Amino acid sequence: MTVGRGRGLLSVAKLASLAVCFLFFAGRTLVAAEEGFEQLFNGRDLDGWVIESHADSEIHPDGRPVWSVKEGEIDCDGLGFGFLRYAREPFADVTLRIEFQLGKTSDGEPCNAGIGLRTGVFDRRRSRATRPSIRGYELQLLDDAGSPPSIHSSGSLYRYVAPLENAIRPAGEWNDLEIELVGPRIRVVMNGRSIQDVDQETIPQIRTKPLSGFFSLQNHGGPARFRNIRVRREPAAAVGEASLDARASLDAQASMVASRDPAIGIRGLLRYALEAAGRGWDPAAIEASLELARSMQVVGAEEADRGNFRWRLGDSDVTDANACEFAGQLLALLRLEDDGRLVPRSGGRRLSPRGRELVDAMARDALAAIRRRRVEPGYTNIFLTHTWNLLALGDLAGPDAIAEGEAAWREWRAFTETHGVTEFVAPTYLGVDLDALALIADQAPSWETRAEAEASLGYFWRSAACHWLPVAQRLTGPHARDYDWLFGRGYADEHLVEAGWLTVPARPEGAGWLPGAPRDGLHHFRTACRWEPPGSLLEDVVAMVPRTIVERTGERPWQRITDWVGKTSSIGIAGEGRGAEDKTLLVNLPPMNWTGGAGGEPWRGANVTFVFDGRGDPYGTVHEASAEAPQAKPSHLRPYLVSSQQGARVTALWLLDPRRAPFRVDPKSLSCLAAHLLLPGACEVWNVDERLAPGAMLAPDAVLFLRGAGTVLGLRFLAPVDADLRATGVELVADGGRQPVQRLTATFAEGVPARGALLGLDLELREGCDDEAFARFRREFAAREVGLEREGTRARVTGSLPLELDLGSGDARPRRLRFEPLLPAGDLLLLDGVEIGREALEPEEPR
């Protein structure tokens, strides 16, 4: 039976079928409306959505678009790599529901798609850094039904969290997906089965992922279809994004601010303000912290320090000229957060009008102080922070200030291309460097500067990968400006955790917190500074075992560091020490009781390092402030150093004579003169014949062996013949108390020294030593004829690596005469003799 006559007549059966379909879709729309869901896709076109892809991933060669609307569905006709982003608004606390279907690929490979969550804008010029799986999350959609769950399988938070189960249906079948995002909680239900229930703040690698952002659909070369895309805004969004723990922390910090404790620091105040603003917290409490911060700023028109800040509330004046740099960095982020530009989020100010007025006033005055300063580009962490401040706050002073920032950036790039990074492998300041570079890469006004900053991040991470020892989970090689003498950890841990390299808890920095504030409360600051290196970078580099690294740290031939990294140990030496906090020699040994391996529990023992001491503080545990260094830090003496390294063997000489002007040490300021080789407490110390006990007294030219799990460090003290520079003896001391550490101490003077010190070490590291190999190595190493000869002012090591030093005399400076290796001109970073640094500084070509 038919209804009507002529063309287009419908059978009753077809009419009934259409009526059922209409009622079905209408019913779903009514249900969605009742549940409070809003449709993001109108079923007709891509209104509200934007295509973001590589240039070759938007249109097929025959003219077919990759993204289109067909039969009321979004159709992805896969090609290359790209995204379809809902651009009308970002979301924080919502539930997303979506239906999707994966198709079959022409090449037989599994169809690969995804859902971008809390992401930003994809930029093909910064392809890797801006894709959802890096910037936010990608919920992986893959035609792998029945495969075991993994961090790459369907339903994973790609690269981070495996699903509880793989619930996807085979290609050609439709799937239902519900994603709930409320604060740090992520819940995912696929086809009625719970596959993710994650609190990101409990997972170190993702704890600083954004708490708001855009949704997107991913094209990764396979056909896929999407329909019925809708969201419901969850109530938590109306009361701020803070979890209960975060709220309690913010409340507690507000009380600290109200206490006006003299120990409150400017960084702590502004950090609290940024975190509270990022969480959508109490604007009045933020305003109170900003009022107190403003009271710490010098505003007198005639003041030399005008615009700078007192480091602590109780200080009477400016004690650290860098205060304006650290404060400026945070003030710039507060302005970006208040404008909604730090991470994508729904509109609305986070500061009260008075709060924003205070931020702008402090930023304007701080910028004036910043512009008056001259910072040298070799002062890496401060120079990069200085550059960020000029670029980020420059709009307050007009084009000239931004131009100064661009000029500063070009100066640092040119300096680094010829000098390398002069604050080399610094466990604290590497983190500050990475912060500033990530901010510049994301927020600099100039695209060229952003691209160059991202390339520079690649260089820093490539260097870190070269010096990474996975079984110890720490950076190897000599460390500039290392305040942790025993373990070599610092603020860079925050970045290493986010990169997934470090799985033990990060060691928070000591400065910059409100008194008693929890040290894990930098979510929004860390989100702003987050930049993850490619996972393949670490895998490719650490697979090279053993490996030898030579890295430039200045323009002079000896200004380099060398490092040999094995399976379970490392040894490295600097060409010179730049300051009293430098670890110029660094050896990592597994403790004797360690039984782990690659992928197992990292060993936690102290490192082996060498320090000159003039105040009876061998372990650097006494932190004192001074007029020159107002922040309390450990401090040792800075000797003159000449060194050579060849593979796992190192030969070095250290010279320190407080009687001579070039060393810039007042003998009367010293209470002793000693050199300490700091050793892990869980390693054994031997001579050729037997294990030594603490208290053993040894000759100034002793030959010893430090034994760890399967690894041995042979060490020979090299002492001059003349008594004026020769140690009186060497002692094995175990006085670390609760610290798992011991030391070999060469004493030159007790009390105010009336003499100098010259000491050499000949070292060799050997892995894979069982008891028999250990005994054989002891005999072999001890039999070598290695000595230290003096001829006039010249000191030369014989029987080992080439090494010669002119000691000089009077006001003449010492001079390095022979050492190796010499870094070829133009090279920055050599890995097993291959230059890998210079190419890393070149920006990626847009695709």
Side-chain angles (χ1 to χ4, degrees):
M1 180 178 177
T2 60
V3 178
R5 296 182 181 272
R7 290 189 305 170
L9 297 182
L10 298 177
S11 68
V12 171
K14 286 187 176 180
L15 189 62
S17 176
L18 286 173
V20 169
C21 289
F22 172 79
L23 291 173
F24 174 73
F25 284 111
R28 288 206 305 184
T29 302
L30 288 172
V31 169
E34 289 170 2
E35 293 178 347
F37 279 87
E38 308 166 26
Q39 290 285 347
L40 302 186
F41 168 52
N42 62 22
R44 301 183 304 275
D45 54 36
L46 296 179
D47 183 43
W49 297 79
V50 295
I51 299 169
E52 298 172 333
S53 306
H54 291 159
D56 59 355
S57 303
E58 296 181 3
I59 300 176
H60 286 269
D62 61 5
R64 288 177 293 121
V66 169
W67 295 99
S68 62
V69 175
K70 297 178 181 178
E71 301 175 352
E73 299 161 0
I74 294 177
D75 181 82
C76 174
D77 192 2
L79 175 71
F81 182 77
F83 308 93
L84 181 69
R85 177 172 60 87
Y86 185 71
R88 283 223 170 100
E89 64 174 308
F91 298 94
D93 299 321
V94 295
T95 297
L96 171 71
R97 288 180 178 171
I98 187 169
E99 297 172 32
F100 71 93
Q101 179 193 80
L102 302 181
K104 290 290 186 181
T105 61
S106 58
D107 59 7
E109 292 294 319
C111 180
N112 187 341
I115 308 291
L117 307 173
R118 288 178 169 173
T119 187
V121 176
F122 176 75
D123 189 335
R124 68 180 62 161
R125 297 170 299 183
R126 298 182 61 216
S127 171
R128 186 183 174 281
T130 58
R131 63 186 59 177
S133 63
I134 300 294
R135 183 64 68 177
Y137 294 103
E138 177 198 343
L139 185 76
Q140 172 78 305
L141 304 181
L142 191 65
D143 181 17
D144 65 348
S147 298
S150 74
I151 59 172
H152 299 108
S153 70
S154 195
S156 65
L157 297 178
Y158 185 70
R159 299 189 312 114
Y160 303 115
V161 184
L164 299 172
E165 62 175 302
N166 190 339
I168 199 165
R169 294 168 180 157
E173 298 187 24
W174 282 95
N175 297 267
D176 292 303
L177 190 65
E178 179 176 286
I179 304 167
E180 182 184 280
L181 305 169
V182 178
R185 198 86 184 196
I186 303 169
R187 295 184 176 93
V188 181
V189 176
M190 184 182 290
N191 297 322
R193 290 142 74 182
S194 175
I195 62 170
Q196 293 282 1
D197 190 352
V198 173
D199 180 346
Q200 72 177 49
E201 293 185 346
T202 67
I203 302 175
Q205 194 177 355
I206 60 174
R207 64 197 166 101
T208 58
K209 286 280 191 176
L211 296 178
S212 62
F214 294 103
F215 290 127
S216 66
L217 311 177
Q218 179 171 308
N219 155 46
H220 205 160
R225 297 171 79 87
F226 304 89
R227 68 187 184 193
N228 207 12
I229 306 169
R230 65 267 194 213
V231 298
R232 180 179 64 202
R233 301 163 200 276
E234 299 300 340
V239 295
E241 300 159 4
S243 66
L244 290 176
D245 287 345
R247 295 177 192 184
S249 172
L250 293 170
D251 274 342
Q253 291 184 67
S255 298
M256 297 172 200
V257 173
S259 74
R260 301 182 70 89
D261 186 327
I264 288 173
I266 185 61
R267 292 171 73 189
L269 281 173
L270 296 178
R271 280 178 169 179
Y272 161 69
L274 176 62
E275 295 304 314
R279 299 278 189 174
W281 199 237
D282 182 0
I286 300 171
E287 184 179 315
S289 71
L290 295 173
E291 291 279 10
L292 192 57
R294 180 60 165 170
S295 76
M296 296 171 67
Q297 191 171 29
V298 178
V299 295
E302 302 303 321
E303 295 278 356
D305 291 321
R306 67 184 184 280
N308 212 328
F309 293 83
R310 290 177 286 139
W311 192 252
R312 294 181 180 84
L313 184 61
D315 294 342
S316 58
D317 52 22
V318 174
T319 58
D320 190 330
N322 293 327
C324 62
E325 305 289 3
F326 287 112
Q329 179 190 61
L330 292 162
L331 290 166
L333 294 178
L334 273 164
R335 296 177 76 229
L336 289 169
E337 175 57 45
D338 192 43
D339 291 341
R341 293 187 292 136
L342 198 56
V343 296
R345 62 171 178 82
S346 54
R349 296 283 184 181
R350 292 294 174 89
L351 303 177
S352 68
R354 173 58 179 163
R356 181 55 185 253
E357 178 186 327
L358 286 164
V359 167
D360 284 348
M362 284 189 283
R364 190 174 290 107
D365 290 345
L367 179 62
I370 290 164
R371 295 179 72 184
R372 289 198 307 271
R373 300 191 70 204
R374 170 59 190 169
V375 182
E376 296 300 325
Y379 195 3
T380 314
N381 78 101
I382 298 300
F383 193 89
L384 288 172
T385 304
H386 178 81
T387 302
W388 155 254
N389 286 330
L390 291 171
L391 294 170
L393 300 176
D395 65 288
L396 292 169
D400 287 349
I402 296 176
E404 288 172 22
E406 297 288 357
W409 174 253
R410 292 192 297 272
E411 180 183 5
W412 181 80
R413 285 272 298 181
F415 177 89
T416 302
E417 287 174 352
T418 57
H419 292 71
V421 177
T422 55
E423 285 184 343
F424 47 86
V425 200
T428 290
Y429 293 117
L430 171 61
V432 181
D433 298 337
L434 294 173
D435 285 351
L437 286 171
L439 292 172
I440 294 169
D442 267 355
Q443 305 288 346
S446 159
W447 154 246
E448 290 78 8
T449 299
R450 294 199 298 273
E452 289 173 352
E454 183 151 20
S456 300
L457 280 163
Y459 177 87
F460 276 79
W461 277 106
R462 189 169 295 198
S463 167
C466 288
H467 297 291
W468 186 250
L469 183 60
V471 296
Q473 294 205 0
R474 68 174 58 155
L475 292 165
T476 68
H479 294 170
R481 309 193 67 196
D482 186 349
Y483 304 131
D484 179 10
W485 289 100
L486 301 183
F487 303 99
R489 298 182 61 193
Y491 175 61
D493 281 5
E494 299 283 355
H495 290 270
L496 296 168
V497 164
E498 290 162 8
W501 295 13
L502 184 67
T503 59
V504 298
R507 171 180 170 159
E509 59 178 322
W513 301 85
L514 288 174
R519 300 296 178 89
D520 58 354
L522 283 183
H523 181 280
H524 289 272
F525 179 79
R526 296 285 338 120
T527 300
C529 302
R530 186 185 179 97
W531 194 91
E532 293 181 30
S536 60
L537 171 64
L538 182 63
E539 294 166 6
D540 293 345
V541 172
V542 301
M544 303 175 68
V545 177
R547 61 184 179 273
T548 299
I549 302 100
V550 185
E551 184 167 2
R552 185 177 298 283
T553 61
E555 59 181 343
R556 299 184 181 276
W558 60 83
Q559 290 176 331
R560 48 84 178 127
I561 60 173
T562 54
D563 192 17
W564 180 91
V565 183
K567 292 181 180 179
T568 60
S569 61
S570 72
I571 181 170
I573 189 81
E576 72 171 2
R578 300 297 182 85
E581 303 96 354
D582 290 358
K583 283 182 180 171
T584 53
L585 170 70
L586 191 65
V587 182
N588 284 290
L589 282 176
M592 280 296 294
N593 57 3
W594 181 69
T595 58
E601 177 70 10
W603 48 263
R604 313 286 182 90
N607 48 220
V608 178
T609 194
F610 187 75
V611 298
F612 265 80
D613 175 26
R615 60 177 187 169
D617 179 28
Y619 303 122
T621 55
V622 178
H623 292 199
E624 295 179 350
S626 66
E628 295 76 22
Q631 298 179 49
K633 300 174 181 178
S635 180
H636 289 301
L637 300 175
R638 178 188 173 189
Y640 194 87
L641 167 65
V642 59
S643 67
S644 289
Q645 180 163 2
Q646 203 175 77
R649 190 168 186 184
V650 166
T651 307
L653 289 173
W654 287 267
L655 171 67
L656 181 68
D657 194 338
R659 301 167 298 179
R660 294 176 51 197
F663 292 92
R664 299 180 180 178
V665 177
D666 179 4
K668 296 179 181 178
S669 69
L670 307 181
S671 59
C672 65
L673 184 58
H676 310 287
L677 192 65
L678 308 185
L679 313 174
C683 291
E684 300 174 353
V685 181
W686 288 64
N687 62 19
V688 179
D689 301 314
E690 60 185 351
R691 183 180 177 185
L692 301 179
M697 300 299 298
L698 308 163
D701 53 0
V703 176
L704 301 170
F705 301 89
L706 185 62
R707 189 182 190 191
T711 305
V712 181
L713 176 67
L715 60 99
R716 175 182 280 100
F717 285 88
L718 302 173
V721 174
D722 50 318
D724 189 48
L725 295 174
R726 183 182 176 91
T728 58
V730 175
E731 182 181 5
L732 175 61
V733 184
D735 62 350
R738 288 177 295 178
Q739 297 284 5
V741 68
Q742 55 190 328
R743 59 186 165 96
L744 285 164
T745 294
T747 300
F748 295 89
E750 296 178 354
V752 176
R755 50 174 300 178
L758 175 63
L759 183 65
L761 289 175
D762 185 41
L763 306 166
E764 184 172 353
L765 190 63
R766 188 164 293 188
E767 293 186 335
C769 287
D770 57 15
D771 290 347
E772 182 179 347
F774 176 46
R776 187 166 57 250
F777 177 61
R778 295 202 311 271
R779 294 191 298 270
E780 171 195 323
F781 188 87
R784 296 174 184 169
E785 296 183 1
V786 181
L788 175 57
E789 295 181 349
R790 282 284 306 277
E791 183 179 340
T793 62
R794 295 196 171 200
R796 180 169 64 94
V797 176
T798 61
S800 186
L801 303 180
L803 200 69
E804 191 170 352
L805 171 67
D806 184 347
L807 306 178
S809 61
D811 290 340
R813 294 178 57 83
R815 291 187 302 120
R816 299 167 182 86
L817 301 177
R818 294 187 66 200
F819 52 89
E820 65 175 36
L822 298 177
L823 192 61
D827 287 351
L828 292 175
L829 178 62
L830 294 181
L831 175 60
D832 285 345
V834 177
E835 163 60 39
I836 65 167
R838 188 162 294 281
E839 66 176 9
L841 284 174
E842 295 302 318
E844 176 186 354
E845 288 293 327
R847 289 191 289 165

